[in-house]
Amino acid sequence: MKKNIAVIRGDGIGPEIVGEAIAVLSAVADKYGHTFTYTEAPMGGNAIDAFGVPLPESSLEACLASDSVLLGAVGGPKWDSQPPANRPERGLLKLRSAMGLYSNVRPARVFRDLADACPLRADIAAKGIDFVVVRELIGGVYFGEHKTETVDGEQKATDIMAYSEHEVRRIARVAFDMALRRRKRVTSIDKANVLDTSRLWRRVVTEVAAEYPDVELRHMYVDNAAMQMVRDPSQFDVVVTENLFGDILSDEASQITGSIGMIPSSSMGEGTRGLYEPIHGSAPDIAGQDKANPIGTILAAAMMLRYSFDMAAEADDIERAVDETLSAGLRCGDIWQEGTILVGCREMGAEIRKRI
């Protein structure tokens, strides 16, 4: 199989972690007989320095012409003085909009050999944490009308949360399709006892569930879901929810795994093309020092193989290699503890590759 991958190396540690992820993808390609080509697409602070804008048209065109996009991280204090419309993060927002990326998928998984890093009680963590949060990404209150006005002598602020049936239907299908590849359980999170948007959400998700008879659906209020994620996260498989709730719950989910440097993320729209990245930032304080943890980006590459390229065996191979590397006691600085072996970004990538 031949695939063209647009590569946004980004800022800070971005080039280092993306380099290791590409090396892992190349090892997979060699093993399975695939051909991956890589098209550079500058974005972020580095693009501002070189082109004056965070997302040059040439980079946008490269991403739109690709089969999927691999991103490191963008931004940093160097560009804080940029006008709001020209900050590095604006490039990412423009790219998401242009690619029509309406779903964000963030897995929450505790690696067996990092169980001690989980902040939950040992008996809770021992039951296993392995679920994904599917968040609607371009609707809801974040994209509704926002206004602040003076009424009766005091300021009044209003934010509109709005959803249409098609927005709910398409994100629900993402969740159910994902569940078919996992343990066939979907939990839909809403606040249907209060919000009209949630009542619409619940009705449409239930309708979509009828198209997936092999997948179990349950509904849960968002406040209960926040509690259940720390009380018994093992009960979840695929969680689907709207933008605001997903923003909050996906951060909670990442925290209970105990290691932000290990967590990948994907954003997708119609079709199979997606944007894949780690959830951490550009960490300019350690850039160029071989201290970055590349595992989140390497696992993002595995997500690309699984969800965009339908290469489940290849994705399994990467995830197994990461597990075996951690089992061997190798750790980057962010996950190092007494009794383990401290390695840098390049060595961690090399150790994972040799286990592919």
Side-chain angles (χ1 to χ4, degrees):
M1 189 174 290
K2 296 181 179 180
K3 295 293 182 182
N4 175 34
I5 300 170
V7 176
I8 301 173
R9 297 182 186 268
D11 307 314
I13 62 172
E16 300 168 68
I17 56 180
V18 167
E20 296 307 318
I22 288 175
V24 168
L25 283 171
S26 297
V28 168
D30 290 343
K31 177 176 178 178
Y32 289 89
H34 302 308
T35 299
F36 298 148
T37 58
Y38 306 98
T39 303
E40 298 291 334
M43 188 182 83
N46 64 94
I48 293 172
D49 291 345
F51 303 97
V53 293
L55 181 62
E57 284 302 313
S58 58
S59 294
L60 177 57
E61 291 171 4
C63 292
L64 293 176
S66 70
D67 293 303
S68 268
V69 181
L70 180 65
L71 167 65
V74 297
K78 178 182 178 181
W79 301 281
D80 283 350
S81 61
Q82 286 288 319
N86 205 54
R87 291 175 63 89
E89 297 79 7
R90 298 301 298 183
L92 181 56
L93 294 177
K94 181 179 178 181
L95 180 61
R96 286 174 177 168
S97 177
M99 292 179 67
L101 305 177
Y102 59 79
S103 71
N104 178 256
V105 176
R106 184 182 291 188
R109 176 190 175 201
V110 171
F111 289 84
R112 180 184 64 248
D113 295 284
L114 297 178
D116 289 345
C118 176
L120 303 180
R121 282 200 330 255
D123 61 312
I124 296 175
K127 295 173 67 175
I129 301 174
D130 182 8
F131 63 95
V132 294
V133 177
V134 178
R135 167 190 171 191
E136 200 288 323
L137 198 57
I138 57 175
V141 71
Y142 291 171
F143 286 81
E145 180 186 355
H146 309 281
K147 66 178 180 179
T148 301
E149 56 189 333
T150 301
V151 178
D152 296 331
E154 64 177 357
Q155 285 201 318
K156 176 183 177 181
T158 305
D159 300 290
I160 303 297
M161 175 187 284
Y163 271 105
S164 298
E165 288 184 340
H166 78 276
E167 293 176 301
V168 182
R169 199 175 305 279
R170 67 187 182 184
I171 192 68
R173 289 198 173 110
V174 171
F176 281 95
D177 286 340
M178 187 162 294
L180 288 174
R181 300 187 183 103
R182 291 175 52 89
R183 300 190 302 276
K184 299 182 179 179
R185 299 201 308 270
V186 169
T187 304
S188 178
I189 308 300
D190 60 42
K191 192 63 175 170
N193 57 334
V194 177
L195 301 176
D196 275 10
T197 50
S198 284
R199 285 187 277 273
L200 174 71
W201 181 281
R202 182 171 291 211
R203 177 178 64 78
V204 174
V205 170
T206 301
E207 291 173 359
V208 172
E211 304 171 14
Y212 297 83
D214 294 333
V215 178
E216 173 192 347
L217 169 67
R218 64 172 176 166
H219 299 281
M220 188 177 290
Y221 294 147
V222 63
D223 42 355
N224 184 34
M227 177 182 68
Q228 294 295 333
M229 279 189 182
V230 295
R231 190 190 71 82
D232 181 17
S234 68
Q235 67 186 281
F236 295 106
D237 179 23
V238 176
V239 171
V240 61
T241 191
E242 62 88 42
N243 206 344
L244 174 61
F245 299 159
D247 190 5
I248 296 167
L249 292 178
S250 63
D251 279 358
E252 180 185 15
S254 67
Q255 181 59 36
I256 65 175
T257 69
S259 178
I260 194 172
M262 305 286 293
I263 303 174
S265 174
S266 74
S267 299
M268 299 185 69
E270 299 296 341
T272 60
R273 183 177 57 204
L275 172 66
Y276 296 85
E277 59 186 311
I279 70 168
H280 59 71
S282 63
D285 55 318
I286 60 169
Q289 301 175 41
D290 194 35
K291 293 181 178 180
N293 184 349
I295 291 179
T297 315
I298 289 170
L299 292 175
M303 289 183 76
M304 177 189 297
L305 297 181
R306 186 180 305 281
Y307 297 124
S308 284
F309 299 166
D310 198 24
M311 298 180 182
E314 292 87 333
D316 288 343
D317 223 357
I318 292 176
E319 292 168 358
R320 176 193 51 75
V322 170
D323 283 336
E324 291 180 359
T325 302
L326 294 173
S327 293
L330 301 169
R331 304 285 189 273
C332 290
D334 63 317
I335 54 175
W336 178 85
Q337 58 185 0
E338 290 290 342
T340 60
I341 304 165
L342 180 65
V343 298
C345 181
R346 290 190 296 272
E347 186 174 354
M348 179 62 80
E351 290 289 338
I352 293 170
R353 287 197 303 278
K354 77 181 187 181
R355 292 173 170 83
I356 296 294

